[in-house]
Amino acid sequence: MASLVASVDHGVSSQRGRALPYAIRLANPGKHLYPPPLTELTSAEFETFLCTRPSVDRSGQLYLHVPFCETICSFCPIHKSKVPSAGVVDEYVRALVDELAALSGTPAVRRIRFDNVYFGGGTASLLPNRAFAALMELIQDRFTLDAPQCTLEGHVHSLTEEKVRLARSLGVNRISLGVQTFEPRLRGLLNLTPSEGDIRRCLDAIRRAGIDDINLDLMCNLPGQSPEVWERDLRAAVALDPSGLDLYEAVVVDGTPLAKQVASGHVTIDSNPAPQVATYLVGEAILTDAGFEQRNLFVWNRPGIENRLVGTQGALRDGTVDVVGAGLSAYSVIDGHPFLAEPNRQRYVRRVRSGRFAARWHHECTKRERMERFMIMSLEEFTFSPAAFACAFGRGMEDIFHDQLRSFHRRGLIERRGADYVLTRLGRAWATTMAVEFFGASVLEEMLRERVRGAVQVGLTREEAIDLPIFALFHPAELLGSAHRFGVLVDYVRFLWRTDRTWPVTVLRELRRAVARAGLPALRWYANTIARHVLAWLAWRTRSPRADAGEEVV
Ligand SMILES: C[S@@+](CC[C@H](N)C(=O)[O-])C[C@H]1O[C@@H](n2cnc3c(N)ncnc32)[C@H](O)[C@@H]1O
Ligand code: SF4
């Protein structure tokens, strides 16, 4: 079969002199976690929220986090540990049971009909049979279930035929399995222990046990993963005939073994966005050709396969669904408010077993932030619908996000289709970076401040660490107009300097590479955007020095 890699037109092509929409490409900047829950709350405050806030019946997803893995993949930033003794697992499961029981008794959770239950992790298939059965029985007894899609996330070694049979008898009807890559050398580098043969045998066992809805995760832009390897990975995955494929672009997150390997120079990552864009487009081309339907930026399914996770994403954007998370570091969104649970296992167990809720951080969203989240989540589904926006907020999308929409349009990232704005092929390839244009000044400020305090639970990627100060400059009105906010930015830059003396050199090197790759047009966008904002700020100062800019307008 002819290789697609060579024939893919990068669209933004790496040729010198052609404008890249952005100089740096961000793989996945906090798409669901916008705005990130960074404000501490007490268990009593969370309980009050659950007892008082929500009023109407809604549908929901129940997520359970199982934070144990047999082996630790070098890229993985998820909260987990290598599977500990049976006693520690039992203690964790007892805490999970207590937490679920407490959550199920609250008015907010009682009014939710759960049509989606997700056992994730970590490696949920590592749960001992008895623990798994106890959790399922509790969920069936205490929660209102609405013919749920029930997914078990697992790992090749623990997804035995016997385990899947048990899971199926308890109500599981979908399995999700991380493959990442089939390339033996890369698998070794990333500490992925099963072989391609093990993966194939695992899929056979799952099917023999009676579950056909099998989702595989693949990763691209891994260190040293050439476009040819990526193409082979995709074709090998398609040959296994899964019902769905999730394609994730590798992000190197602080604190992971991979980040350490990158920092020590043992592994190198290519920051050139052009091959990353090509990778994205190769994925689209191969999976479309193989008959898969693209459900969102990352998710592909066979026609006719329902994927309720994608449905939940869309409904979260429209504010019509709740996500209730249980377990350490679990993320919840209830009545539009994001919450994050205690990430440390011992503290989580102590907290829950002493009768407190696990939620530790939250974010009280302003209307402006809900609008920003709406736009960020719309990107994931390729369409901005002004009608849906007006319905959700009673405001015109074009009034609120005029600058972004106009600039996307000018750069060929979106086009008008009927009443909607739809991402072009170029836009789809850059959507994760476009998301940052909607980050509000106050959220950026909070992220920078918490980062300096060391309180951010999810590590930032290398690109984000470098790019955040640049994106912060997107809001010069707030930054320059407030000594406090400007001070936060300065603190952040000093923090970067303290933690990594090489970062100014890294920034300059990346800029030089961007110019060498694509010529000055690559940087024109940054310069234009900043200049436009400064001019707007100056105009605003002249007109009304006292009026408040930005979010408070809404
Ligand atoms: C929540 S993880 C758990 C998956 C499950 N334990 C397994 O390994 O099969 C889900 C997926 O996130 C993706 N993932 C994990 N770390 C990532 C990273 N640093 N960058 C991009 N994707 C990542 C992987 O594809 C992984 O399979
Ligand atoms: S990718 Fe899955 S198996 Fe690997 S460390 Fe992360 S959660 Fe564990």
Side-chain angles (χ1 to χ4, degrees):
M1 198 175 299
S3 166
L4 264 171
V5 175
S7 61
V8 162
D9 165 20
H10 301 175
V12 283
S13 140
S14 53
Q15 291 155 33
R16 195 175 161 79
R18 285 186 62 178
L20 291 159
Y22 304 90
I24 299 172
R25 189 162 177 278
L26 299 173
N28 186 9
K31 58 189 168 53
H32 322 99
L33 292 180
Y34 186 87
L38 294 171
T39 311
E40 287 234 34
L41 92 166
T42 63
S43 173
E45 284 165 343
F46 184 57
E47 188 168 5
T48 306
F49 179 89
L50 292 178
C51 291
T52 52
R53 280 299 272 276
S55 50
V56 283
D57 286 356
R58 292 149 73 91
S59 64
Q61 179 195 335
L62 182 61
Y63 173 83
L64 280 82
H65 191 72
V66 181
F68 309 118
C69 294
E70 268 169 321
T71 48
I72 302 295
C73 313
S74 69
F75 49 80
C76 183
I78 307 242
H79 285 283
K80 78 286 163 185
S81 58
K82 218 164 156 178
V83 71
S85 66
V88 171
V89 176
D90 283 352
E91 180 190 56
Y92 181 76
V93 172
R94 275 200 301 277
L96 204 50
V97 165
D98 285 356
E99 188 188 6
L100 284 166
L103 284 167
S104 70
T106 63
V109 176
R110 274 208 302 268
R111 73 189 162 77
I112 303 175
R113 281 171 297 99
F114 291 92
D115 61 9
N116 192 0
V117 177
Y118 199 94
F119 282 81
T123 307
S125 55
L126 275 176
L127 277 175
N129 289 354
R130 232 165 0 101
F132 191 37
L135 286 166
M136 272 308 234
E137 273 157 30
L138 179 99
I139 292 169
Q140 276 153 1
D141 280 358
R142 302 278 193 107
F143 291 78
T144 309
L145 300 181
D146 183 8
Q149 178 165 79
C150 182
T151 303
L152 175 67
E153 202 167 61
H155 191 259
V156 169
H157 293 314
S158 48
L159 277 171
T160 59
E161 188 172 335
E162 183 230 337
K163 175 73 73 178
V164 180
R165 267 188 211 290
L166 171 87
R168 183 165 173 258
S169 72
L170 293 169
V172 169
N173 45 30
R174 181 172 180 271
I175 300 282
S176 181
L177 182 65
V179 168
Q180 327 309 357
T181 175
F182 293 96
E183 174 75 9
R185 193 193 56 79
L186 254 180
R187 291 189 68 80
L189 177 79
L190 303 170
N191 199 30
L192 296 162
T193 49
S195 67
E196 183 169 350
D198 295 335
I199 296 169
R200 184 166 299 113
R201 281 187 287 280
C202 176
L203 260 72
D204 290 344
I206 296 169
R207 289 188 171 118
R208 275 199 308 277
I211 296 189
D212 286 324
D213 193 351
I214 306 174
N215 191 77
L216 303 181
D217 296 341
L218 286 184
M219 282 171 73
C220 57
N221 298 328
L222 287 163
Q225 185 188 30
S226 66
E228 289 73 21
V229 168
W230 172 231
E231 181 169 354
R232 277 206 305 280
D233 280 339
L234 285 162
R235 294 201 190 281
V238 168
L240 292 175
D241 195 23
S243 53
L245 280 164
D246 288 4
L247 309 187
Y248 294 108
E249 297 193 29
V251 285
V252 180
V253 182
D254 275 3
T256 58
L258 183 60
K260 287 178 194 131
Q261 286 174 311
V262 171
S264 69
H266 184 63
V267 163
T268 46
I269 300 273
D270 185 1
S271 60
N272 184 353
Q276 296 169 5
V277 168
T279 300
Y280 178 83
L281 296 176
V282 165
E284 277 201 351
I286 291 180
L287 295 190
T288 307
D289 195 44
F292 283 81
E293 287 173 354
Q294 185 163 19
R295 300 284 166 84
N296 74 22
L297 218 45
F298 314 97
V299 175
W300 297 76
N301 281 110
R302 288 275 180 212
I305 294 291
E306 190 187 13
N307 185 332
R308 297 215 182 142
L309 286 175
V310 176
T312 301
Q313 285 296 106
L316 267 179
R317 178 197 57 204
D318 299 339
T320 56
V321 78
D322 291 329
V323 174
V324 177
L328 66 85
S329 81
Y331 180 70
S332 304
V333 184
I334 300 173
D335 200 28
H337 282 63
F339 297 90
L340 199 57
E342 166 61 54
N344 175 282
R345 180 172 49 80
Q346 278 146 336
R347 281 205 298 267
Y348 164 80
V349 169
R350 265 204 308 277
R351 206 173 157 100
V352 173
R353 303 235 68 196
S354 65
R356 288 175 294 156
F357 285 99
R360 255 196 79 182
W361 293 275
H362 78 130
H363 187 98
E364 181 100 25
C365 290
T366 61
K367 186 175 179 184
R368 170 76 190 197
E369 287 162 359
R370 286 203 304 275
M371 291 178 181
E372 288 159 357
R373 180 170 58 196
F374 182 100
M375 300 303 275
I376 289 168
M377 296 186 107
S378 296
L379 274 169
E380 212 172 297
E381 296 188 356
F382 315 131
T383 306
F384 296 114
S385 163
F389 188 91
C391 185
F393 303 108
R395 298 290 304 263
M397 180 189 279
E398 285 102 335
D399 295 337
I400 310 285
F401 296 109
H402 172 264
D403 276 4
Q404 288 92 332
L405 291 173
R406 204 177 62 164
S407 149
F408 291 159
H409 194 258
R410 222 183 20 235
R411 285 180 286 151
L413 296 165
I414 58 173
E415 64 193 10
R416 205 71 212 233
R417 199 173 298 163
D420 294 339
Y421 298 92
V422 178
L423 267 69
T424 59
R425 188 162 162 272
L426 181 66
R428 295 198 299 276
W430 283 93
T432 48
T433 311
M434 291 160 72
V436 187
E437 292 211 40
F438 295 108
F439 278 37
S442 51
V443 170
L444 273 167
E445 179 198 329
E446 202 178 357
M447 286 170 73
L448 296 180
R449 205 182 44 230
E450 296 304 304
R451 180 90 175 142
V452 173
R453 282 205 315 131
V456 176
Q457 293 305 316
V458 183
L460 285 187
T461 66
R462 187 171 132 272
E463 294 86 348
E464 283 168 301
I466 292 170
D467 232 21
L468 266 180
I470 300 176
F471 279 106
L473 290 175
F474 270 66
H475 303 276
E478 288 88 350
L479 269 178
L480 305 177
S482 148
H484 166 69
R485 275 198 177 146
F486 191 70
V488 171
L489 180 64
V490 171
D491 280 352
Y492 183 70
V493 170
R494 284 187 14 218
F495 160 80
L496 283 180
W497 171 249
R498 272 200 316 277
T499 48
D500 177 7
R501 297 267 152 152
T502 61
W503 86 264
V505 179
T506 311
V507 172
L508 287 176
R509 200 178 48 222
E510 291 300 332
L511 290 179
R512 191 171 53 75
R513 282 191 187 149
V515 174
R517 275 195 304 261
L520 278 174
L523 302 180
R524 197 186 294 147
W525 172 76
Y526 284 98
N528 280 349
T529 311
I530 292 169
R532 187 157 40 88
H533 280 283
V534 172
L535 287 176
W537 176 65
L538 286 173
W540 161 79
R541 292 274 297 183
T542 327
R543 260 199 334 268
S544 149
R546 287 167 151 273
D548 217 343
E551 67 230 276
E552 284 80 18
V553 169
V554 176

